[in-house]
Amino acid sequence: MPMRQEDDPTWLEVCVMVNEAQVETAESILRLFAVGDEGVATEQMGDPDDVAPMAMLPAHYVRLYVDGERDTAAFRRTLIQSLHENDLPTPSYTILSQKDWSTAWREHYRPLKVGNRLWIRPTWETVTAADNDLVIALEPGMAFGTGTHETTQLCLAALETYLQSGDQLLDLGCGSGVLAIGAIMLGAKDALGVDIAAEAITESTHHATMNKVSHAITWRQGGLSAVPSQQQYDVVVANILCPILIDMLDNESLLDYVEPNGLLILSGILAVQAAEIGRAITDAGGEIITTTTDGDWIAIIIKHA
């Protein structure tokens, strides 16, 4: 039976407090429990308006918002079991009214400056951007992330640094579409974004239209097999979990999709995984140009050896 009465508030907030390295795992698990309009939101502890280096803390809250009709003892037991199996803590619970729900998850998202020129802003927020800045509008929350994860920021910063006007880009694991959209805004000629999840293609298409770059981006559901054979790109960016990246390098000839003078940008990699993926890059015929870091996460920029 549901753990509330018919006249009780109608949403359940499930909150898990994790460290930086656990955020992606917690988000992935909680999203497995979301259906329909339910969603996941992540908030880093600290004061985002304070420019001091230590203003933001390593602790994060990952929250799942669930229709109260699904709030049963069995649901909570299954959720706790999934968290514990992945070495994550027991969550806390808050009952929200419909009015509370409509605004609660939005409170965790604010405009974010990435690199020197790029902004990511939720659609309900405004930013005071410089004339040369580029603002990407996203509707965060439901199927995929908000564009604010450290690995996304690392990829966007790398694109700002290395992408050349007129480049062609391949975005593997496009998620919300933010990387391909950012690339077009930075001057790429066109982009192909692929993802195995149909929801990602839907979100990416919506965001590209919202940001007025849909004419320059093609979206396809699938993995590398969805990319035209023999097609090569000036820049290939893949923000995917490290084991998948290693498999792509080892078994799917990922570097073959990069032009001879092009670049491969990889993220979704924890710093402790650097040596492992470094070996895979070398074995695949790549050479690391540089590695950038944000907290526990890294991005690696690669060229052909």
Side-chain angles (χ1 to χ4, degrees), residues 46-108:
D47 183 358
D49 296 322
D50 189 339
V51 297
M54 302 302 292
M56 299 304 292
L57 304 176
H60 291 67
Y61 288 143
V62 183
R63 294 179 172 91
L64 166 68
Y65 294 95
V66 178
D67 187 333
E69 292 289 348
R70 300 204 302 121
D71 180 18
T72 64
F75 175 87
R76 294 193 185 192
R77 283 196 302 269
T78 303
L79 176 61
I80 291 170
Q81 180 180 355
S82 296
L83 292 168
H84 288 179
E85 287 173 352
N86 288 273
D87 298 320
L88 297 173
T90 300
S92 61
Y93 304 97
T94 303
I95 302 297
L96 301 174
S97 68
Q98 180 66 29
K99 181 179 179 180
D100 290 337
W101 148 250
S102 67
T103 58
W105 66 276
R106 292 189 172 200
E107 294 174 356
H108 309 304

Side-chain angles (χ1 to χ4, degrees), residues 14-206:
V14 180
C15 181
V16 184
M17 187 172 73
V18 296
N19 62 42
E20 190 171 339
Q22 297 172 309
V23 169
E24 192 160 334
T25 301
E27 290 175 337
S28 298
I29 291 169
L30 293 185
R31 285 196 184 104
L32 294 174
F33 289 85
V35 299
D37 290 335
E38 298 170 355
V40 174
T42 301
E43 177 187 16
Q44 185 175 3
M45 295 296 93
D47 183 358
D49 296 322
D50 189 339
V51 297
M54 302 302 292
M56 299 304 292
L57 304 176
H60 291 67
Y61 288 143
V62 183
R63 294 179 172 91
L64 166 68
Y65 294 95
V66 178
D67 187 333
E69 292 289 348
R70 300 204 302 121
D71 180 18
T72 64
F75 175 87
R76 294 193 185 192
R77 283 196 302 269
T78 303
L79 176 61
I80 291 170
Q81 180 180 355
S82 296
L83 292 168
H84 288 179
E85 287 173 352
N86 288 273
D87 298 320
L88 297 173
T90 300
S92 61
Y93 304 97
T94 303
I95 302 297
L96 301 174
S97 68
Q98 180 66 29
K99 181 179 179 180
D100 290 337
W101 148 250
S102 67
T103 58
W105 66 276
R106 292 189 172 200
E107 294 174 356
H108 309 304
Y109 299 119
R110 300 186 184 185
L112 175 70
K113 184 75 175 290
V114 181
N116 295 318
R117 299 177 57 202
L118 289 167
W119 285 88
I120 300 172
R121 71 165 182 89
T123 52
W124 58 87
E125 293 278 358
T126 59
V127 298
T128 303
D131 292 341
N132 197 41
D133 285 350
L134 303 168
V135 181
I136 304 170
L138 295 182
E139 288 183 345
M142 295 306 135
F144 290 90
T146 65
T148 60
H149 191 272
E150 291 88 344
T151 58
T152 308
Q153 295 179 52
L154 287 167
C155 288
L156 285 170
L159 289 174
E160 183 178 357
T161 300
Y162 293 100
L163 187 79
Q164 301 294 313
S165 179
D167 278 353
Q168 293 184 296
L169 176 115
L170 172 61
D171 179 5
L172 295 171
C174 58
S176 66
V178 63
L179 298 181
I181 292 167
I184 298 302
M185 290 184 171
L186 286 165
K189 176 184 177 183
D190 54 51
L192 170 63
V194 301
D195 201 294
I196 61 173
E199 295 91 342
I201 303 306
T202 300
E203 269 199 27
S204 295
T205 301
H206 175 62

